Each structure stands twice: as C-alpha cells, then as structure tokens.
Amino acid sequence: MTDTPTLALAKDLISRQSVTPVDAGCQEVMIDRLKALGFEIEVMVFEDTTNFWARRGTQAPLFAFAGHTDVVPAGKVELWDTPPFEPTIIDGMLHGRGAADMKGSLASMIVAVEQFIAEHPDHKGSIGFLITSDEEGPFINGTVRVVETLMARGENIDMCIVGEPSSTDIVGDVVKNGRRGSITGDLTVKGIQGHVAYPHLASNPVHQSLMAIHELATTEWDKGNDYFPPTSFQIPNVHAGTGASNVIPGEFNVQFNLRFSTELTNEIIVDRVTATLDKHELDYDLKWTFNGDPFLTDTGALLDAVVDAVDAVNNTKPALLTTGGTSDGRFIARMGGQVVELGPVNATIHKVNECVKVADLEKLTDMYQKTLENLLA
Ligand SMILES: [Zn+2]
C-alpha cells in the first residue's frame, strides 16, 4: 500500500534531524510544495534561526497556518524502540521525533491546502504559512521576529491555526482557544552576612523574607474566569547560604513564576509583588522576565469554522481549553486576530517513542481542509 500524501510528507519531515534551531531542509520541502501552489515565499533568517512566511492572495481576510519544523533532542537513542529519525509505523502508529510535535501537523496543513486549492483555485481572502525552526528553543529569533516584521508593514494575520498538539485522547477532542500568560521574577533579598553566634552583628535575609514570601504564595491573585483557571504563583528555585552551618547568609535568592489568566496583566502583577515586598520593608533587587501575555479567542469566525470542522470529522464538538504551557500563539495573538491551536494527541510529545496515529493525520488533514472551506470557499 502506498502512503497517503500526508503520511509520505510527515515521514519525509521526520527523517530530517531538525533539532532546535536546525531546520535540516524541512522548510525547503514545504516551500517547494507551496511555490507550486502559487504562494509568494519570504525566507526570514534571524541569527541562527530560519523562518519563512508564505502567502497566496492579496485580499482580506488573511488566514494562516503556523508551526515549527524544529524538534526537541531525542535524548538517549538506546531508550527508543525505533531510531528517532527513521519514521516507522508500528500498529498504526507513526513513530519518530516530531511525529506529534509537530511534523505530522505540518504535513496535514500542506496537504489540506493542496486539496483545498485544487477545488478552489480562486478562493476568497488569502492563505498564509508562518513557519519557524525556533519554537522549542529560546523563542527569540522565531515567530516573534516574523510577527514583528509583518506588523511593521501592516500585514496582520486575521485568523490563525497553530498546529501544536492540542488533543488529549482523540485528535480534535481539544482545541486550545487561548493560553495563560507567564511571568518570572528573580528576587534577591539583601541582608548582612555574619556568624550565627553573633546574630546582632548580621541581618538574616531568609528570616526577613519569609512573611512576604508566604503572603505572595498564599494570596488569591484572581478567581480565573470562564476560560482560565485561577492564576497560580509557584516558587521553582530558592537559594541562600554558603553550605556552612555557622554562617548567616548575606543574600536570599527566590525565583517565582506566575501562570496568569486574562484577569491580570504583567503590570498588575509587578505592582502587587512590589507593594508586598515594600510593605515588609525588604532591601531587595527584583528582575522580571515577561514570557508572554495571556490571550483568548472566545468568539468569531475562526472558532466557529474550526469547531464545525472538527464536528464534521469526529461527529462531536471539541472542548475549548486554555490549559498547558505557552506556545507561539501568544506572539501571533499580538496582531489582534483570532488564534486557536488544533493538532494531534499530545500524550508522547518530548518523550522517547514519540508517535502519532496514522489515521489521526488523515483526520487532521480533513479538519484543516474543512476549516479552509468554511472560511475561504
Ligand atoms: Zn510544538
């Protein structure tokens, strides 16, 4: 039996060792297919990262698929049942690094667009592809730079499907229609180092901070809303002391992270944390890293089209969720358009023996194609 177009392309992409930020020719394969369909291609290289933007049509609305060709490292190859960069089918599952995150999605997108254009060569609006090789890495030179470039010339994506593996048990059971924001604080509370036997000559920053840290960790940041769970504050790292049992430390380092809902903003969080630390009269430095704003697409043509497309294939509607880590959707959402994530089952992503059901890739292709028909036919 010969492979379907989606399976053949997924295998081709998986066989390329595109560990972040290396692309290993994946984008060239996609570009060749899109050029043949009449897409205008713009390769955008920023530092070590290759990205491309492709567009077919000049009219609004601009609908785009977004995704990444890079994969996380395979780790210890001997732990895999099959070589991670040799696509292999076992019991109906396609195995290989990137099968689910997200080379299977990329193959489905390309084939969906090929089939859609074959039937609708003069479709409405425009179709775009925003593809990066830096999603799994530091996300500095990937999607965010392409988005900045497009925004600078007023070319805003109106509707976007990100192909991240959003599904839980069967493909399409979950569509992510937003993501929480993420912000990290690196707090250094300053004291005075000294001998534990002479505490009056020292000032212990751990003791001074505990009440403030406790308050930050136990406060109710918000109640969440219909789409988001309550904001959560977590401390992943703390450090103080020299290791010696007779030295009062001079500094206390506390790193905290908040995953926050659309009820909060970076500014509100910074203000509340600062007010708490100041109330406890601490001497501190605080460095912030803004990892991403929350976004939400709770209504609109895109969401309707995607929900209908999933329903047409699965005979049941997807759940709309905002759970999970951040994705490149947060950058694309800055353009002000509608953004959702729809992709394969995520049970094996970033693990050994990453795999995706072959039949799911065909369903995903159908869902993407049906979405295009709903929006642009
Ligand atoms: Zn991914």
Side-chain angles (χ1 to χ4, degrees):
M1 201 176 73
T2 54
D3 291 343
T4 63
T6 302
L7 179 57
L9 180 53
K11 282 181 170 177
D12 183 358
L13 295 173
I14 291 168
S15 67
R16 296 163 191 271
Q17 303 201 17
S18 57
V19 176
T20 309
V22 172
D23 169 65
C26 291
Q27 293 185 14
E28 227 169 275
V29 170
M30 296 178 71
I31 285 170
D32 285 347
R33 302 276 284 251
L34 293 172
K35 264 189 189 158
L37 295 172
F39 276 78
E40 299 280 336
I41 311 291
E42 218 175 321
V43 176
M44 299 189 194
V45 180
F46 300 109
E47 312 276 330
D48 59 357
T49 304
T50 307
N51 313 281
F52 79 84
W53 167 243
R55 180 168 178 159
R56 185 181 198 270
T58 53
Q59 303 296 309
L62 170 54
F63 167 89
F65 286 106
H68 59 89
T69 52
D70 59 320
V71 296
V72 294
K76 284 191 179 148
V77 175
E78 60 271 24
L79 295 178
W80 287 68
D81 293 340
T82 61
F85 296 101
E86 274 177 36
T88 313
I89 296 176
I90 305 167
D91 295 335
M93 305 293 288
L94 172 63
H95 285 249
R97 175 56 85 222
D101 187 9
M102 54 175 280
K103 289 176 170 177
S105 312
L106 297 178
S108 294
M109 291 170 182
I110 294 283
V111 173
V113 168
E114 285 173 344
Q115 292 175 174
F116 173 74
I117 289 174
E119 285 173 30
H120 306 278
D122 302 313
H123 59 80
K124 291 192 283 191
S126 304
I127 306 173
F129 274 79
L130 194 173
I131 305 296
T132 180
S133 66
D134 170 49
E135 201 276 336
E136 305 287 9
F139 46 79
I140 293 167
N141 295 310
T143 300
V144 65
R145 297 284 298 269
V146 179
V147 164
E148 283 166 4
T149 305
L150 295 177
M151 284 177 82
R153 64 188 189 211
E155 190 176 2
N156 288 335
I157 296 172
D158 300 302
M159 297 178 277
C160 183
I161 292 182
V162 184
E164 288 295 342
S166 61
S167 304
T168 306
D169 297 314
I170 63 162
V171 63
D173 61 356
V174 174
V175 166
K176 298 277 172 82
N177 66 327
R179 291 281 190 163
R180 289 182 291 182
S182 171
I183 181 172
T184 302
D186 284 286
L187 172 69
T188 301
V189 180
K190 293 181 228 170
I192 300 170
Q193 187 176 315
H195 197 298
V196 292
Y198 301 91
H200 55 289
L201 299 178
S203 174
N204 192 321
V206 179
H207 297 188
Q208 292 164 21
S209 314
L210 288 178
M211 293 304 284
I213 304 294
H214 181 254
E215 191 173 326
L216 291 172
T218 54
T219 192
E220 181 182 80
W221 293 86
D222 60 30
K223 293 188 188 310
N225 54 35
D226 284 352
Y227 288 100
F228 290 89
T231 293
S232 90
F233 173 99
Q234 291 295 326
I235 297 177
N237 291 295
V238 292
H239 180 259
T242 61
S245 63
N246 58 358
V247 180
I248 292 171
E251 280 186 357
F252 184 29
N253 305 107
V254 181
Q255 185 186 60
F256 54 86
N257 175 274
L258 290 99
R259 295 298 161 110
F260 61 100
S261 77
T262 43
E263 300 295 306
L264 294 179
T265 62
N266 288 315
E267 293 73 30
I268 294 172
I269 291 169
V270 168
D271 284 352
R272 281 178 62 177
V273 170
T274 308
T276 303
L277 297 173
D278 290 344
K279 191 177 80 187
H280 290 272
E281 299 182 334
L282 299 176
D283 182 11
Y284 65 90
D285 282 333
L286 182 51
K287 208 173 113 266
W288 292 100
T289 306
F290 304 106
N291 308 307
D293 294 318
F295 70 92
L296 179 67
T297 297
D298 58 350
T299 54
L302 175 66
L303 198 60
D304 293 346
V306 169
V307 167
D308 177 79
V310 170
D311 194 14
V313 174
N314 281 356
N315 247 319
T316 176
K317 288 186 172 26
L320 303 178
L321 298 178
T322 60
T323 50
T326 57
S327 83
D328 275 357
R330 68 193 143 147
F331 301 125
I332 297 162
R334 287 181 189 167
M335 297 174 149
Q338 305 160 44
V339 180
V340 301
E341 296 174 19
L342 170 61
V345 171
N346 56 28
T348 61
I349 60 171
H350 296 208
K351 296 184 181 175
V352 297
N353 299 325
E354 178 177 348
C355 59
V356 67
K357 206 186 245 178
V358 174
D360 280 0
L361 294 183
E362 304 308 319
K363 288 183 185 171
L364 189 59
T365 305
D366 291 345
M367 290 171 187
Y368 288 159
Q369 187 181 344
K370 177 77 174 146
T371 301
L372 285 165
E373 278 159 10
N374 287 343
L375 291 171
L376 302 180

